[in-house]
Amino acid sequence: MRYLIIGNSAAGVTAAEAIRKIDTKGEITIVSDEPYPAYSRIFITNVLAGKARPENILMRPPGFYEEFQIKAVLGQKVVQIDPANHEAYLEKGAVLTFDRLLLATGASPQLPSVPGSGLRGITGMRTLADALEVAKRIEDTPGLPVVVVGGGLVSLKVTEALIGRGGEATLIVKSPQVLSQMLDERAAGIIQRRMADAGVTIRLGCDLRAYEGEGELEAVYLEDGQEIAARLAIVAKGVRPNLELAQGAGLHVNQGIVVNPYQETSREGIYAAGDVAEAYDPVRQQGSVNAMWPNAVFQGEAAGLNMAGQRVACRPGTRVNAASFLGLQAASVGRVRPLDGDEEEVVVNREGYYHKLVFREEFLVGAVIVGDIRSIGHYRWLIAEQKPAHFLRRELGRKIYNFSAYRLQVAPWCREA
Ligand SMILES: Cc1cc2nc3c(=O)[nH]c(=O)nc-3n(C[C@H](O)[C@H](O)[C@H](O)COP(=O)(O)OP(=O)(O)OC[C@H]3O[C@@H](n4cnc5c(N)ncnc54)[C@H](O)[C@@H]3O)c2cc1C
């Protein structure tokens, strides 16, 4: 059996390992347009910050590809796939053949098309190459004015990295708060204050209108007419799945490549996983792309097992978002804001510690934490399993700080989680 995996990251590498668990003899080829062995994309901002070197963020130890008998074709882009003839064509002319194909092509930054967007000095932050290039630019030009566009996880990590290098940054956020998908306004406020204390200028509720410059970026204009001097704009306003290969091959594509619970696409023998795949989300009751690392790993594993002949459904988990910014930990799961009517929230808000639970009757439907986030896994479990959780209201009301430890006393059945 010949397995071809396009994409050498969370989904692709996990799929290759899963295949090898079952098929010890089949030929596995991983191809990537990035030149590096697989690395942890989520840590590229550590490289940008100067806290890690590329070799420190590798996903697997040296020798991984040899140990798993994987042929790695790196630094080469696949430009077309031909499902009927079981072939994939590389930009440099070579042809790869397959019996089973996995599209684990991930996603790319969504760059807003405002006037001036072709100027030099505007970049996304998705690859190790992006991080190395920006780090070099900042090293070469101390005091370079930088704007970071976007209020999500990646922009905050980029901003933290810039501050960590001793630089300054202005953060431009369209929403009235940072991390609007992950946190409510009070929790976001704690993060915003921490960032402001660290010297970040945050412009909330204001989008980018245009870039300005002669060939090179010199300034950005905001919708309110304000001009901000900037020689570098790092844009992190979400991602778009890399769908070109799937579209060219006539696969069923929506927001992402549409897959069933076995990660199968509309074409037999072709699978998709990770940021490029759109799977059914039982919470939203519709197909959705979950562009997060754990999802890529779960889907990659299911894809690999199915490619190698098992029949294993990828069970969509309740999504937990967790991150750390400037030493503050934040996490959320389920509903961040209660729906009007039949949902209500219980909040404990103290300095450096924020804990909010969202209930529908006696059931937990969401949680937001800033501070000690250890309880988030238990909340996720309570939400996923829909166990009665009314006892939590009482305990939160008592402002208990080490909530995880206390929870085991009041709800011993949680130990099974
Ligand atoms: C700075 C940053 C911080 C992040 N932080 C977090 C976090 O804290 N938590 C979290 O859950 N997630 C985080 N993410 C998101 C996470 O990295 C992604 O969800 C994850 O990498 C998706 O893995 P993937 O394998 O689906 O795709 P990707 O990691 O995008 O890999 C796809 C690979 O396929 C290659 N490729 C695409 N097309 C072709 C082609 N035609 N030919 C050859 N190769 C091709 C791409 O170049 C890429 O190497 C972060 C992302 C970034 C950029």
Side-chain angles (χ1 to χ4, degrees):
M1 183 72 78
R2 294 162 305 170
Y3 304 94
L4 177 61
I5 298 172
I6 308 177
N8 179 37
S9 185
V13 167
T14 313
E17 289 170 331
I19 292 170
R20 239 336 143 239
K21 274 188 209 158
I22 297 172
D23 185 343
T24 52
K25 297 218 165 61
E27 284 172 29
I28 304 176
T29 303
I30 295 187
V31 53
S32 172
D33 54 3
E34 292 195 70
Y36 317 100
Y39 62 90
S40 293
R41 198 171 299 288
I42 60 180
F43 295 130
I44 60 171
T45 47
N46 290 1
V47 174
L48 173 60
K51 289 183 186 158
R53 291 197 298 271
E55 57 270 31
N56 302 132
I57 65 163
L58 293 182
M59 258 176 82
R60 297 290 182 266
F64 163 74
Y65 297 97
E66 293 76 18
E67 187 189 333
F68 281 76
Q69 299 162 58
I70 296 167
K71 182 177 173 203
V73 180
L74 303 181
Q76 302 220 37
K77 185 175 174 125
V78 178
V79 287
Q80 198 189 342
I81 53 173
D82 178 348
N85 289 314
H86 298 251
E87 288 178 342
Y89 307 107
L90 298 183
E91 200 169 27
K92 293 178 185 162
V95 180
L96 301 172
T97 52
F98 60 84
D99 300 304
R100 301 268 187 280
L101 171 68
L102 174 63
L103 295 170
T105 48
S108 300
Q110 220 160 11
L111 300 179
S113 56
V114 296
S117 50
L119 292 171
R120 283 190 301 278
I122 301 165
T123 180
M125 182 55 62
R126 180 73 187 180
T127 62
L128 184 51
D130 291 336
L132 290 168
E133 201 178 308
V134 169
K136 179 162 182 345
R137 182 91 201 277
I138 289 170
E139 267 163 28
D140 290 350
T141 321
L144 189 77
V146 185
V147 294
V148 180
V149 185
L153 195 67
V154 174
S155 9
L156 265 63
K157 286 185 166 191
V158 166
T159 307
E160 183 176 10
L162 296 172
I163 296 294
R165 296 188 74 99
E168 288 180 11
T170 301
L171 186 64
I172 298 166
V173 184
K174 185 179 179 188
S175 310
Q177 64 163 90
V178 299
L179 298 169
S180 56
Q181 311 276 325
M182 175 178 165
L183 301 179
D184 63 11
E185 49 289 353
R186 282 172 298 213
I190 299 171
I191 305 278
Q192 287 158 202
R193 281 193 293 283
R194 176 65 64 96
M195 295 182 85
D197 289 346
V200 181
T201 305
I202 309 178
R203 294 298 318 269
L204 296 173
C206 201
D207 208 4
L208 189 72
R209 201 182 68 200
Y211 299 105
E212 186 64 36
E214 296 279 329
E216 287 270 349
L217 180 69
E218 288 164 21
V220 298
Y221 285 97
L222 306 188
E223 272 174 346
D224 64 3
Q226 212 205 328
E227 178 187 349
I228 301 172
R231 303 294 307 282
L232 183 63
I234 304 171
V235 185
K237 279 177 76 70
V239 293
R240 52 166 187 80
N242 294 322
L243 296 173
E244 296 77 9
L245 292 177
Q247 284 166 330
L251 302 184
H252 181 199
V253 161
N254 197 13
Q255 266 188 322
I257 305 171
V258 176
V259 292
N260 67 12
Y262 307 99
Q263 304 304 133
E264 292 165 328
T265 68
S266 56
R267 186 89 194 207
E268 199 186 338
I270 303 186
Y271 300 72
D275 282 12
V276 77
E278 176 180 318
Y280 182 73
D281 179 342
V283 176
R284 298 181 184 190
Q285 299 190 349
Q286 61 185 40
S288 110
V289 175
N290 178 1
M292 299 294 284
W293 186 275
N295 179 63
V297 169
F298 292 141
Q299 289 194 349
E301 180 173 32
L305 295 174
N306 287 301
M307 287 166 80
Q310 287 201 345
R311 197 75 181 147
V312 180
C314 183
R315 272 189 62 200
T318 305
R319 202 182 293 188
V320 170
N321 295 304
S324 158
F325 304 104
L326 296 163
L328 266 182
Q329 288 188 312
S332 69
V333 57
R335 194 106 64 228
V336 170
R337 298 169 188 85
L339 292 180
D340 286 344
D342 59 350
E343 291 181 1
E344 58 167 327
E345 61 184 38
V346 179
V347 176
V348 174
N349 191 3
R350 291 201 167 168
E351 204 172 319
Y353 178 95
Y354 180 78
H355 220 108
K356 172 168 113 176
L357 301 182
V358 182
F359 291 94
R360 189 190 307 126
E361 297 167 355
E362 79 254 51
F363 299 107
L364 191 65
V365 292
V368 179
I369 309 177
V370 179
D372 180 350
I373 63 167
R374 281 175 294 176
S375 309
I376 203 72
H378 304 299
Y379 293 152
R380 189 196 68 78
W381 186 80
L382 283 167
I383 292 169
E385 298 296 321
Q386 282 296 280
K387 297 278 186 192
H390 44 347
F391 66 93
L392 291 172
R393 293 174 198 253
R394 196 176 60 239
E395 304 313 328
L396 264 194
R398 287 184 195 157
K399 298 177 183 166
I400 288 159
Y401 278 79
N402 186 354
F403 196 75
S404 292
Y406 200 84
R407 182 202 48 75
L408 291 175
Q409 294 169 32
V410 292
W413 40 263
C414 280
R415 289 199 188 97
E416 297 152 20

